[in-house]
Amino acid sequence: MALWRQQVCAVMRVRFLKLKHEGKFLRSILLFFGIFILPMLMIFIGFQLWDSSSFWEITASSYFLPTAEKIQNKSTNLLVFNDTGSEIEDFIAALKTQNINPEIALEKNITSIPLHNGAIKISLEGKSYRFTVMCSAEPINCFPMFVNILSNTFLRLFNSTARIRIWSEPFYGILKTEIKSDLFFICISYLLVLAAGLPPLFAVSSMEDYKLQARAQLRLAGLFPSAYWCGQALVDVPLFWAL
């Protein structure tokens, strides 16, 4: 057993040095590896880019003007109508912390005021406040955005530094799951082909030993056949699974 272990270690060292100094084998491995990995890498990068561009964050700045900024694009001021009979400075201050410039409405019927993307009406029913939101017909995702604005406003009123953020993923929820499933099976198929194509590359080196009759000479010198194949496997198998 001591002689067998010594022979295994010797064959393993020879195999390692041969792979290290054999540029043809390494080039073929890298070429084969690149041919199969590059498409998978491109698919993965493309999926990640599509995944990142398929949804966007809904922010109040897309609908309403930031504080002290002139009208641009389709943004308007946020219209606020106070029907509580008291001051609402805290509510206005909480809106401004979200970079929103509110406009106080003086008319009783705020639905008659044009050129606003949305409005909030604050009324008092008993001891409870009631918030009514109204959106113009053009802005998309206006009501989810209003719920987010009110939620963050309540957080500010209760002295919380937390912030709620929302995103939109139109027509993408079910499709995303299906694409991930298909991508998984594509990757598995590629890995199976890669795993099936690597062993012949390792066998080429053994075939060269056979042609040179190196293994036969080693056997005549007293090398155990099992020590020869085990020494080869101790290098080839970890390299194969590493790849």
Side-chain angles (χ1 to χ4, degrees):
M1 289 301 298
L3 177 61
W4 185 85
R5 287 195 298 268
Q6 185 182 15
Q7 290 180 355
V8 169
C9 293
V11 173
M12 181 177 64
R13 186 169 182 270
V14 170
R15 177 63 172 166
F16 178 77
L17 293 175
K18 187 177 181 180
L19 292 179
K20 182 178 179 181
H21 295 287
E22 197 174 53
K24 182 180 178 181
F25 175 78
L26 292 177
R27 286 195 298 269
S28 61
I29 286 290
L30 292 176
L31 178 62
F32 185 79
F33 197 67
I35 289 174
F36 281 91
I37 293 300
L38 185 60
M40 289 180 59
L41 186 62
M42 294 181 65
I43 291 174
F44 178 76
I45 293 176
F47 179 78
Q48 291 296 325
L49 292 176
W50 184 45
D51 190 21
S52 61
S53 62
S54 61
F55 62 93
W56 61 89
E57 184 177 0
I58 301 176
T59 59
S61 59
S62 302
Y63 301 84
F64 304 112
L65 293 174
T67 304
E69 187 170 316
K70 296 181 179 180
I71 295 178
Q72 58 182 357
N73 299 329
K74 293 185 178 181
S75 299
T76 66
N77 289 324
L78 172 60
L79 195 62
V80 178
F81 177 62
N82 181 14
D83 195 24
T84 62
S86 59
E87 300 295 334
I88 54 171
E89 285 86 357
D90 293 342
F91 183 82
I92 299 299
L95 288 176
K96 290 183 178 180
T97 60
Q98 302 177 60
N99 205 21
I100 299 175
N101 186 25
E103 178 181 340
I104 307 300
L106 301 177
E107 291 84 352
K108 292 293 183 182
N109 186 12
I110 62 175
T111 58
S112 64
I113 301 177
L115 302 178
H116 285 83
N117 287 334
I120 298 178
K121 179 182 178 181
I122 308 174
S123 56
L124 190 61
E125 296 182 359
K127 294 184 178 181
S128 301
Y129 287 96
R130 180 181 181 86
F131 297 87
T132 305
V133 296
M134 287 162 279
C135 290
S136 177
E138 293 185 1
I140 302 175
N141 297 321
C142 182
F143 286 106
M145 179 272 307
F146 258 126
V147 173
N148 187 47
I149 289 178
L150 289 176
S151 300
N152 286 318
T153 301
F154 297 150
L155 289 175
R156 299 299 182 274
L157 291 175
F158 286 101
N159 298 322
S160 174
T161 58
R163 178 186 171 217
I164 301 174
R165 301 170 66 185
I166 54 175
W167 284 265
S168 174
E169 292 186 69
F171 316 111
Y172 191 58
I174 300 177
L175 182 62
K176 183 177 181 180
T177 304
E178 295 178 353
I179 291 176
K180 282 188 174 181
S181 178
D182 295 339
L183 186 62
F184 173 77
F185 285 109
I186 290 175
C187 292
I188 289 296
S189 302
Y190 260 93
L191 289 176
L192 290 176
V193 175
L194 180 65
L198 283 175
L201 296 176
F202 290 96
V204 170
S205 179
S206 298
M207 289 299 297
E208 291 179 355
D209 290 346
Y210 176 78
K211 291 179 181 179
L212 295 173
Q213 297 184 350
R215 184 161 61 91
Q217 295 178 23
L218 290 172
R219 289 185 64 182
L220 291 175
L223 178 68
F224 293 109
S226 59
Y228 174 81
W229 292 114
C230 287
Q232 298 264 19
L234 287 176
V235 176
D236 291 347
V237 172
L239 180 58
F240 171 80
W241 285 112
L243 292 174

